[in-house]
Amino acid sequence: MGIGLPEKGLDQQRLRWRDRLSVKQARIAVGLTLLIGLLFSGIQIVWDLREEQNLIDRTVNQVLATLRESATQAAYGLDETLAARVISGLFEYEPVYEAELRDNFKNVLARKTEKPINSNRTFLTQIMFGENQEYEIPLNTDGPNGLVGHLSVKIDTDMIAEGFINRASRILLSGIVRNLLLGLVLVAFFYITLTKPLLGIAAQLRQIDPEKPDSAAINIPPHHARNELGMILQTTRGLVERVSSTLDRLLESQQKVRDRESRLSAIVQNVADGILTITPTGRIIECNAATKEILGLMRDETPKGRTLHEFLLPRAVPLLEHSLEELAAHAPGAEAVEKRFTLPIVRADQKEIDVSIALRLIPDSATPLMTAVLNDITVRKRYEEQLVYMANHDTLTNLPNRSMLERSLSEALNTHKNNASERSGATAILFIDLDRFKVINDSLGHDVGDLMLKAVALRLQRVIGRQEIVGRLGGDEFLIIIPDLKETQDAVILSQAVLDALAPAFDIKGRVLFVTPSIGIALYPSDGEDFPALMRNADTAMYSAKSSGGGTYHFFTKTMNESAMARLVIENDLREALVKDEFELHYQPKVDLRTNQVCGLEALIRWKQPGRGYISPMQFIPVAEETGLISRIGEWVFREVCRQISEWEAQSLPPMPIAVNLSPRQLIEGHITETISRILAETATPAARIVLEVTETAMMQEIKKAATILDELRHLGLKIAVDDFGTGYSSLAYLKRLPINSIKIDRSFVRDVTIDTDDAAITRTIIAMGHNLGLKVVAEGVETQEQMNFLRECNCDEVQGFLIATPLPPEEIVQYIRRPSIDIPSEI
């Protein structure tokens, strides 16, 4: 605690300091004035000395010049009397103490000497004027021998110096007295006019409270209102006002800083992350409450003074030490650097947790310190591990998903490539697709389908060995990887094991279900050297197995690849054909057997590709069905038929129905009702003019759904016909449940009705059954007169086929329709 002087003692001390300051200033002012006076007096004396020296020279030369003529006559005439008068005249100038007149032969004509003044200032005289001075002038005439003599004088400088020193002393003394008085006057003047007012200002400033400065405490006397002191007082008052305002803002800022520090301290103490202040050696200086919770310390325990190393697993200590050293070695004042890493910590309760730590140097710290922010990431790390697992596994079956299968296969292939010289064999993949799984999904629901997929996954897991990997690619597709296939027969054995495992019935929600797999096998390196190539070829082999009836396995062959490439080319060309409008419609007529007149048409699509001509529908329709392009093609066909109907109505062509084939994919997967309704509305086509032909097989795939869609189409006003009737595998009783208008006997029965009694019996039965159900019966594929006669005898309603006419372009079919009747025999 400091010891201070009483306030009264401080004032007395300030007064003594003020008096001392005033006396000192007075002495300095007087001394400076005297010095200035002495300086100027000295300059004046030096100047007068120079003038005095010049005056002596001028005076002596003037005296000699005055007597030169008389002295020349005396020397020329050797007149001693005249010479004596000349010499006597020289002594009229008091400083002369010796004079001499000589002829040119150095004979003295006259000479006079007096004793010089003996002065005690000789040394000073020598400094000012030097030794006694001598002057000599030559005496000349105008004759051929001009020089007749010399006149010389000596001057007593002591006499001159004595007078000069007396004058200089008076000048110096008067200057000292004058300057001393002037200094005293100036001191008094400045004390009254400046020092005293300034002391008054100082007294006013001393009365201002430093903590609460008030400008009103500064009083400006009226007589100083317009002078410099008044300006000083006004400036000081303004300064005090600004200081007061600044001080208020400073106090307000300090309060805000204190409030912010309080809030920051509260935040630090309540934040969930542990915040510590540590030294470069890891010793803990400060910490918040969350740190104790993270470290598992009790409320009354503190980690202060301990090192962070004590809470780490031994393997993590080097990482922390290295990071602390690296951060401490960072240049001070440089850009801030932060170190982030994860450390395993052993809590006080011996529980191990993972902590994310962020280290940062504290800038402008007197001693090197760091902040460490701890965040318990144990839960997050587990969550991340779970996310990684979910990212690599199928959520439904918990099998590896496509990305993980791709990595596993790539690793197996790289192992083969790196050790190609040391190991033989191959890597095989089995691409598994469940046959007719879509029927289960669509008919029983996706929940049953998901349970079926789980059950399939469990059986596949039991089949594989330790080296094999099984995963789900998506949907009903699975993949088995055999990393090290010793013999091709091993892939066959595993494929057969998969077939055997999936052969027994599945009990799904009390339902007994069966499923068979189609398996495609591809081998590395013969069938591909990377994941995409092997997958593509295995997929091709799988489709080959599925096309052969399913429930089997096929190895990939180059022939399959060529077929797949051909399908791909057709697919690309189909897409381009849709854009470039390369499709055409041809129309095949139907003839009523009772009237022999055209009673309807069937629209058949034709594809005329530039440079290749017409491509058979048998080539591109299956590809369109497989790729889904059939929906776009079918929509184009329906729109084109509606346009053609409008055009023929404008040509006054007799109205007749036109049949349009509806593919299974259009019927089941698409939004056929909305599409047809929209096109009919856009083209203003009567719905009764359209007959939709649906194959029996397509309807039987999902009869309930097909019946619903066909019923919707019937409500639009369209007519429904069953195409290829008789080729289905189900009972004919479904005819009662479907909203159909007619049936078409498949050409496979019509072809042999005249030579095969079974086909003839079936055809008669179909015609009779159709009529009993009130349906119109159409026979297609009629190519001979015998077939025509047989159908006429069986009371078949309509026929179509090459015997009647081949499919014709629109302009040719118009001419055919305009005929009054069709004489079948005459056409043959």
Side-chain angles (χ1 to χ4, degrees), residues 591-705:
V591 174
D592 189 330
L593 291 178
R594 289 171 297 182
T595 62
N596 277 354
Q597 292 182 342
V598 177
C599 60
L601 302 172
E602 181 179 1
L604 299 171
I605 190 169
R606 295 293 183 264
W607 179 14
K608 188 176 183 180
Q609 191 176 23
R612 293 180 59 186
Y614 286 102
I615 299 176
S616 171
M618 299 299 294
Q619 288 183 306
F620 68 84
I621 292 298
V623 177
E625 285 276 1
E626 181 181 337
T627 58
L629 292 173
I630 193 66
S631 298
R632 295 174 58 188
I633 294 175
E635 183 176 346
W636 179 88
V637 170
F638 195 86
R639 187 179 293 275
E640 179 64 17
V641 167
C642 292
R643 187 199 64 78
Q644 191 66 65
I645 290 174
S646 299
E647 182 178 326
W648 284 341
E649 284 183 350
Q651 297 175 7
S652 301
L653 197 70
M656 60 184 62
I658 298 178
V660 177
N661 289 288
L662 198 63
S663 74
R665 195 155 187 169
Q666 282 180 282
L667 179 64
I668 303 302
E669 295 183 6
H671 302 282
I672 189 64
T673 305
E674 294 84 347
T675 302
I676 291 179
S677 176
R678 185 183 72 255
I679 295 175
L680 290 174
E682 291 175 356
T683 59
T685 303
R689 296 287 300 276
I690 305 294
V691 178
L692 294 179
E693 293 188 358
V694 185
T695 63
E696 182 182 12
T697 305
M699 290 189 296
M700 294 309 300
Q701 285 183 1
E702 296 186 36
I703 187 169
K704 291 183 179 180
K705 187 173 183 180

Side-chain angles (χ1 to χ4, degrees), residues 178-340:
R178 181 178 65 252
N179 288 318
L180 178 61
L181 294 175
L182 180 60
L184 294 174
V185 171
L186 289 175
V187 168
F189 174 76
F190 282 109
Y191 178 80
I192 294 171
T193 61
L194 185 61
T195 303
K196 188 175 181 180
L198 289 176
L199 291 175
I201 294 174
Q204 292 186 47
L205 294 176
R206 283 196 300 270
Q207 294 176 359
I208 296 176
D209 186 358
E211 297 183 357
K212 296 181 180 179
D214 184 9
S215 60
I218 300 177
N219 181 34
I220 303 177
H223 56 282
H224 287 308
R226 297 182 178 275
N227 58 16
E228 292 80 355
L229 290 174
M231 293 175 61
I232 293 175
L233 288 171
Q234 291 176 356
T235 304
T236 304
R237 177 183 288 177
L239 180 61
V240 171
E241 290 179 354
R242 290 194 294 272
V243 169
S244 177
S245 176
T246 304
L247 186 60
D248 291 341
R249 290 196 299 270
L250 179 60
L251 293 174
E252 183 180 355
S253 300
Q254 288 177 345
Q255 185 60 40
K256 289 181 179 179
V257 169
R258 285 193 293 268
D259 295 341
R260 191 178 296 112
E261 288 178 350
S262 299
R263 290 194 298 270
L264 181 59
S265 177
I267 292 172
V268 170
Q269 290 301 322
N270 292 295
V271 75
D273 293 340
I275 302 176
L276 305 89
T277 302
I278 61 175
T279 65
T281 60
R283 186 168 57 87
I284 300 173
I285 305 299
E286 294 289 341
C287 67
N288 64 347
T291 303
K292 296 182 180 181
E293 183 177 352
I294 292 176
L295 299 179
L297 299 175
M298 301 296 291
R299 183 174 298 179
D300 56 347
E301 291 183 283
T302 177
K304 294 181 181 179
R306 301 172 65 179
T307 62
L308 200 56
H309 305 65
E310 301 177 29
F311 300 95
L312 301 181
L313 288 175
R315 69 174 185 271
V317 172
L319 174 60
L320 176 62
E321 291 179 346
H322 175 73
S323 300
L324 290 173
E325 291 173 0
E326 189 176 11
L327 196 61
H330 195 68
E335 184 178 356
V337 175
E338 186 178 81
K339 291 288 183 181
R340 285 183 175 270

Side-chain angles (χ1 to χ4, degrees), residues 429-499:
I429 62 172
L430 278 61
F431 194 110
I432 304 171
D433 183 87
L434 303 182
D435 301 328
R436 296 178 61 80
F437 177 76
K438 187 177 185 302
V439 176
I440 297 175
N441 232 6
D442 294 342
S443 59
L444 301 179
H446 288 279
D447 54 340
V448 175
D450 290 344
L451 292 175
M452 173 66 81
L453 291 174
K454 289 183 178 180
V456 170
L458 288 175
R459 294 192 185 184
L460 291 177
Q461 284 178 303
R462 297 191 191 106
V463 169
I464 64 172
R466 293 184 177 180
Q467 291 185 348
E468 288 80 24
I469 302 170
V470 61
R472 183 184 177 212
L473 295 171
D476 59 343
E477 296 177 344
F478 296 85
L479 186 72
I480 296 178
I481 300 174
I482 308 176
D484 192 7
L485 186 70
K486 301 300 182 183
E487 297 181 359
T488 306
Q489 188 63 25
D490 294 341
V492 174
I493 294 173
L494 183 57
S495 297
Q496 187 59 50
V498 171
L499 294 175

Side-chain angles (χ1 to χ4, degrees), residues 646-802:
S646 299
E647 182 178 326
W648 284 341
E649 284 183 350
Q651 297 175 7
S652 301
L653 197 70
M656 60 184 62
I658 298 178
V660 177
N661 289 288
L662 198 63
S663 74
R665 195 155 187 169
Q666 282 180 282
L667 179 64
I668 303 302
E669 295 183 6
H671 302 282
I672 189 64
T673 305
E674 294 84 347
T675 302
I676 291 179
S677 176
R678 185 183 72 255
I679 295 175
L680 290 174
E682 291 175 356
T683 59
T685 303
R689 296 287 300 276
I690 305 294
V691 178
L692 294 179
E693 293 188 358
V694 185
T695 63
E696 182 182 12
T697 305
M699 290 189 296
M700 294 309 300
Q701 285 183 1
E702 296 186 36
I703 187 169
K704 291 183 179 180
K705 187 173 183 180
T708 302
I709 296 175
L710 292 176
D711 191 58
E712 293 173 354
L713 294 172
R714 275 289 301 274
H715 279 84
L716 292 178
L718 290 91
K719 297 178 181 179
I720 308 297
V722 178
D723 197 8
D724 299 336
F725 187 82
T727 60
Y729 298 98
S730 61
S731 171
L732 300 178
Y734 73 89
L735 292 175
K736 296 180 179 180
R737 301 168 55 187
L738 295 174
I740 58 178
N741 303 100
S742 60
I743 57 177
K744 294 182 70 175
I745 304 174
D746 186 67
R747 67 181 64 246
S748 62
F749 299 110
V750 176
R751 182 177 61 245
D752 297 328
V753 290
T754 59
I755 59 176
D756 190 323
T757 56
D758 292 336
D759 287 346
I762 292 173
T763 302
R764 289 191 187 95
T765 302
I766 293 174
I767 294 173
M769 182 186 62
H771 288 163
N772 290 333
L773 294 174
L775 302 175
K776 185 181 293 186
V777 181
V778 182
E780 60 180 350
V782 179
E783 298 179 356
T784 66
Q785 183 64 40
E786 289 79 8
Q787 295 170 351
M788 175 72 74
N789 293 334
F790 176 83
L791 294 171
R792 194 187 299 273
E793 291 175 0
C794 295
N795 294 321
C796 184
D797 299 305
E798 300 175 1
V799 294
Q800 70 179 95
F802 291 165

Side-chain angles (χ1 to χ4, degrees), residues 115-135:
K115 186 177 180 180
I117 297 174
N118 185 12
S119 175
N120 294 327
R121 301 188 183 91
T122 302
F123 176 73
L124 185 59
T125 301
Q126 291 180 355
I127 292 175
M128 291 187 296
F129 296 101
E131 298 292 340
N132 291 334
Q133 299 181 15
E134 180 178 358
Y135 296 87

